[in-house]
Amino acid sequence: MTKDKINTIDIQEIRNDFPILSQKVYNKPLVYLDNAATTQKPSVVIDRLRSYYERENSNIHRGVHFLSDQATAAHEAARKMIAGFIHAASPAEIVFTRGTTESVNLVAGSFGKKFIGKGDEVLVTQMEHHSNIVPWQMMCEERGAVLRVVPLHPGGELDTDAFENMLNEKTRLVALAHVSNVLGTINPVKALVAKAHDAGAKVLIDGAQAVAHLRVDVADLDCDFYCFSGHKVYSPMGIGVLYGKEEILEQLPPWQGGGEMIKQVSFEKTTYNELPFKFEAGTPNVAGVLGLEAGLNYLQSKGLDEIVEYEDALLTYAAEKLQTIKGIRFFGEAKNKTAVISFLPEGIHPFDVGTIVDKYGVAIRTGHMCAQPLTTFYGVPGFVRLSLAMYNTKDEIDKFTGALAAAIEMLS
Amino acid sequence: MTIQEKEKELIAVFETFDDWLDKYNYIIEMGKDLNRIDPKYKTKQNLISGCQSNVWLHAEYRDGKIYFSADSDAVITKGIIHLLTDVLSGHTPDEILSANLDFIDKIGLKEHLSPTRSNGLVSMIKQIKLYALAFKTKYEQKQQDQ
């Protein structure tokens, strides 16, 4: 077998950067193929958290002392780096949240309050994660608005004709995934944003599954909001990003109240801080922000284009291997897809598959994957999903398909 | 046989297995063998939804004892259900309520009863105990009324 490489970097070298990957489970080498749930963290990220707490920890934006100055500078430098990473026009457009879910909730809460009224419409798609459905559902219910669902083609691609037809003068906002967490479909986001804008609607993109696998350029996409989580891109849990166009964020009311987000407080009237601080109530997750910066730097240092190329080749390899196993039904056969394969062996429940392959040291995801409307769409109890990251190898795919074949044999 | 004796017997069976493969093969066979619940009881009311797999549980009270029948869409869950209902069926509400079911741990299936597995089994055991409590209350009420 030829060596797995990204550009000229041996994958084994990359694997050595991730301490957890050398671990054994049930006395077998860990084969971690649940990266769409969360990615593992390289040492540089873990070390960054440690060094922050060992040498820099202090509360930011409010101290007059040395440490607070340092931490504030590091925090804001990270914001600048992250703005650059997704091509935002300014760091003021980067709001830190706990993750994609909180980013969506922030927009649903704040944008909803300001711009959505009775009879207005919000569009989501059939392939959305619950995090990009439920916040809109709650907001629509509260404001008497209507949530409409764009259908899919059976192969797992969005029905773009239906999308266009559903846009109308009542559409206030479109919320859709950049990449589907179940199907791996890469939606033609740029074209959809343009269509939505023509209809006068704003667009929020859930980029949770995209950031580790695609080059994200919010200026090029021209989306109004873009959300992602650190933990799905080699960075810590509990830190996420909401990108919003400055002129829109300016118009939105604060979402949560507290420290940090204010300019002046009195019992008569409180005035709010400027962007992005207006949306960051309370002490921020400084270590998380610095960890996210370290994770994104790590990703860039390996070369995003090269990673994409490597993961695509690995995805093709995995799909070919899986096709040699009889009786497997695949979900998500979009021409443009990334990093994820969902499937079901005929007549076998996904939970049973997951339980058996786990015993072989293989970590995959089974179940509805927080996308129950998709299980309904396909009429199945759930899926089995393998999802890739830059550190996965062909050898791991072989171990997985071996374990899968054994599981099917046992369960048939 | 008492619940405890049945548990002991199961522990002895599982001690004969060399590895997890034998153990799961056994559970899977039990799952395939399980006499499915009478379709008329496979109702929404009897459904215990898990994130990973679903369980249907029906309970009947006859002559002071409770009899359970159950089903699941996943065969491993079904196998474990088989073990649980075998151990608990045909016993009085008091016996069922005081059963601590630590055999699950002893035969190495504890992970399946972790809430994170979300396969419906934890809720199923809760439901079994609730049935026992409900039948006990109803039965005692009847005796008081007589």
Side-chain angles (χ1 to χ4, degrees):
Chain A
M1 197 177 69
T2 53
K3 268 197 168 169
D4 294 307
K5 278 185 178 181
I6 290 180
N7 210 356
T8 56
I9 310 166
D10 194 318
I11 294 299
Q12 196 48 54
E13 259 176 64
I14 289 181
R15 293 181 68 80
N16 291 343
D17 292 338
F18 292 80
I20 209 170
L21 295 179
S22 56
Q23 200 174 179
K24 288 194 166 177
V25 294
Y26 309 115
N27 234 351
K28 295 182 182 73
L30 168 68
V31 175
Y32 187 78
L33 294 170
D34 193 17
N35 294 288
T38 197
T39 54
Q40 299 303 343
K41 322 303 174 201
S43 298
V44 285
V45 168
I46 301 165
D47 293 347
R48 188 66 193 92
L49 300 179
R50 198 183 170 85
S51 73
Y52 171 72
Y53 283 118
E54 279 182 354
R55 289 194 293 274
E56 298 156 89
N57 178 53
S58 57
N59 213 330
I60 61 167
H61 294 140
R62 60 195 77 174
V64 290
H65 56 80
F66 179 82
L67 279 185
S68 176
D69 277 348
Q70 295 270 301
T72 304
H75 186 262
E76 293 314 309
R79 193 191 304 272
K80 200 172 161 198
M81 182 269 160
I82 292 158
F85 183 83
I86 60 167
H87 303 270
S90 129
E93 297 183 320
I94 301 296
V95 176
F96 290 122
T97 62
R98 282 191 295 139
T100 307
T101 301
E102 191 172 67
S103 298
V104 176
N105 275 281
L106 192 161
V107 177
S110 180
F111 185 91
K113 197 170 176 185
K114 177 89 179 185
F115 289 113
I116 294 179
K118 205 168 164 38
D120 286 344
E121 293 180 3
V122 173
L123 283 194
V124 295
T125 82
Q126 181 88 33
M127 70 169 86
E128 297 312 310
H129 188 281
H130 293 165
S131 294
N132 202 25
I133 298 173
V134 183
W136 305 115
Q137 218 164 25
M138 289 162 65
M139 182 269 281
C140 285
E141 206 168 293
E142 203 178 290
R143 310 203 61 79
V146 182
L147 187 69
R148 298 185 68 196
V149 185
V150 183
L152 307 183
H153 293 300
E157 282 168 327
L158 198 66
D159 184 341
T160 48
D161 293 336
F163 175 81
E164 261 183 80
N165 290 333
M166 289 167 84
L167 286 168
N168 63 56
E169 72 287 350
K170 284 189 254 165
T171 316
R172 291 286 161 269
L173 190 122
V174 175
L176 86 154
H178 198 166
V179 172
S180 155
N181 70 313
V182 177
L183 306 168
T185 308
I186 303 172
N187 282 316
V189 169
K190 190 178 174 178
L192 300 176
V193 168
K195 297 258 191 278
H197 283 171
D198 287 346
K202 303 294 183 212
V203 183
L204 174 140
I205 309 291
D206 165 6
Q209 296 297 339
V211 182
H213 309 289
L214 297 176
R215 207 168 264 288
V216 173
D217 183 336
V218 292
D220 181 56
L221 295 176
D222 196 30
C223 55
D224 303 287
F225 302 101
Y226 196 97
C227 315
F228 69 95
S229 301
H231 75 96
K232 291 194 201 284
V233 57
Y234 309 107
S235 302
M237 287 186 169
I239 185 70
V241 169
L242 167 66
Y243 157 82
K245 279 183 183 163
E246 195 166 347
E247 75 260 25
I248 300 173
L249 290 179
E250 285 289 6
Q251 297 172 56
L252 299 186
W255 179 53
Q256 292 178 329
E260 184 89 27
M261 51 75 73
I262 49 88
K263 193 176 267 170
Q264 195 94 48
V265 177
S266 74
F267 284 112
E268 290 70 42
K269 180 159 178 68
T270 292
T271 52
Y272 304 121
N273 206 336
E274 58 200 33
L275 285 178
F277 311 111
K278 176 171 88 173
F279 294 107
E280 293 179 352
T283 293
N285 178 1
V286 184
V289 168
L290 301 179
L292 176 58
E293 179 189 32
L296 297 178
N297 272 327
Y298 179 83
L299 182 72
Q300 278 183 328
S301 74
K302 302 300 166 207
L304 195 51
D305 292 335
E306 287 78 8
I307 292 169
V308 171
E309 201 181 317
Y310 176 73
E311 287 178 347
D312 280 351
L314 201 56
L315 189 72
T316 308
Y317 180 77
E320 283 168 5
K321 284 285 285 194
L322 277 170
Q323 269 152 8
T324 63
I325 301 174
K326 264 193 195 147
I328 287 190
R329 179 179 172 198
F330 291 90
F331 301 89
E333 292 168 289
K335 276 191 217 89
N336 199 10
K337 69 174 280 183
T338 181
V340 166
I341 299 179
S342 287
F343 63 92
L344 267 186
E346 211 173 14
I348 299 178
H349 196 281
F351 173 76
D352 293 325
V353 177
T355 303
I356 299 299
V357 302
D358 168 57
K359 295 287 176 190
Y360 284 93
V362 179
I364 50 162
R365 181 77 189 268
T366 64
H368 58 60
M369 287 170 226
C370 298
Q372 276 174 334
L374 258 187
T375 56
T376 310
F377 178 71
Y378 286 112
V380 293
F383 308 95
V384 181
R385 177 186 73 188
L386 80 97
S387 52
L388 303 172
M390 64 161 106
Y391 42 65
N392 288 126
T393 64
K394 284 184 186 151
D395 177 54
E396 287 184 304
I397 301 295
D398 294 345
K399 285 199 177 101
F400 164 69
T401 46
L404 177 67
I408 293 174
E409 167 96 33
M410 275 176 88
L411 294 160
S412 297
Chain B
M1 255 197 289
T2 66
I3 288 178
Q4 266 182 337
E5 282 163 351
K6 286 191 203 166
E7 289 190 28
K8 263 190 200 147
E9 210 175 69
L10 265 176
I11 293 164
V13 171
F14 273 76
E15 270 168 1
T16 64
F17 298 140
D18 291 332
D19 58 10
W20 70 268
L21 207 64
D22 287 352
K23 197 157 74 184
Y24 274 87
N25 271 323
Y26 180 80
I27 294 167
I28 290 165
E29 286 318 308
M30 298 279 268
K32 287 177 186 164
D33 278 354
L34 176 64
N35 284 331
R36 286 169 191 239
I37 197 168
D38 190 322
K40 72 176 177 206
Y41 296 129
K42 219 168 155 176
T43 58
K44 218 171 182 174
Q45 216 183 352
N46 285 336
L47 173 68
I48 301 164
S49 258
C51 187
Q52 294 279 352
S53 58
N54 292 322
V55 171
W56 290 265
L57 176 71
H58 172 70
E60 262 176 59
Y61 187 76
R62 290 198 305 269
D63 308 325
K65 289 172 181 165
I66 308 177
Y67 297 84
F68 296 101
S69 57
D71 198 2
S72 172
D73 47 0
V75 73
I76 293 173
T77 308
K78 210 146 85 169
I80 300 169
I81 286 175
H82 195 166
L83 301 179
L84 279 167
T85 50
D86 263 9
V87 166
L88 295 171
S89 261
H91 291 277
T92 65
D94 278 329
E95 285 166 347
I96 292 168
L97 282 170
S98 59
N100 65 9
L101 301 175
D102 56 359
F103 78 101
I104 293 285
D105 192 1
K106 290 193 177 126
I107 62 177
L109 292 176
K110 193 182 168 192
E111 66 201 49
H112 286 286
L113 292 186
S114 110
T116 57
R117 253 317 129 131
S118 196
N119 50 16
L121 282 171
V122 177
S123 313
M124 176 181 144
I125 291 175
K126 255 189 224 155
Q127 195 59 42
I128 283 177
K129 299 257 178 179
L130 274 176
Y131 271 125
L133 193 64
F135 284 127
K136 179 181 152 79
T137 317
K138 205 167 143 188
Y139 179 69
E140 281 171 357
Q141 191 64 45
K142 254 189 194 163
Q143 277 193 326
Q144 276 175 13
D145 293 346
Q146 277 163 9

